[in-house]
C-alpha cells in the first residue's frame, strides 16, 4: 500500500524591489512536504493566477521557487506532493 505524501508550502513576499522592480513576487518553500513511506521527489504547484502548473523538483535539500504575479492581489496557491 502506498500512503499519499503530504504537501506543505511556506510562502513569503519577496521584499527586494531592485531584484524584481514593479513586480508582486513571492518565495515559496516546499521542503516541509513529507511522505511517511518514502520521500517527496517534487511538488506540483497551481499559482492561482491562470498560469500553467509548475513542477518544483527537490535539488539536494532544497525545493523552492520564486513566483512573480502580474498584478497585486490575493491568489489561492494549491500544492500536490509527488512521491
Amino acid at each position: 500500500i502506498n500512503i499519499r505524501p503530504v504537501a506543505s508550502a511556506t510562502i513569503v513576499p519577496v521584499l527586494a524591489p531592485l531584484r524584481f522592480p514593479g513586480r508582486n513576487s513571492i518565495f515559496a518553500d516546499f521542503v516541509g512536504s513529507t511522505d511517511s513511506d518514502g520521500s517527496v521527489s517534487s511538488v506540483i504547484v497551481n499559482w492561482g493566477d491562470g498560469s500553467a502548473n509548475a513542477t518544483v523538483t527537490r535539488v539536494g535539500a532544497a525545493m523552492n521557487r520564486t513566483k512573480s504575479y502580474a498584478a497585486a492581489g490575493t491568489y489561492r496557491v494549491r500544492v500536490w506532493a509527488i512521491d
Side-chain angles (χ1 to χ4, degrees):
I1 296 175
N2 183 26
I3 299 171
R4 289 183 182 174
V6 177
S8 174
T10 300
I11 299 174
V12 295
V14 174
L15 303 175
L18 296 178
R19 185 171 177 196
F20 301 102
R23 303 298 280 182
N24 302 289
S25 300
I26 60 169
F27 176 80
D29 187 358
F30 308 103
V31 75
S33 299
T34 60
D35 185 2
S36 64
D37 64 347
S39 62
V40 175
S41 61
S42 62
V43 295
I44 297 173
V45 185
N46 179 299
W47 298 108
D49 63 349
S51 63
N53 288 352
T55 300
V56 180
T57 304
R58 184 180 299 275
V59 177
M63 191 166 38
N64 55 58
R65 177 78 50 95
T66 300
K67 165 71 175 168
S68 293
Y69 289 95
T74 301
Y75 298 91
R76 182 177 179 179
V77 177
R78 297 179 184 191
V79 182
W80 297 269
I82 307 297
D83 57 356

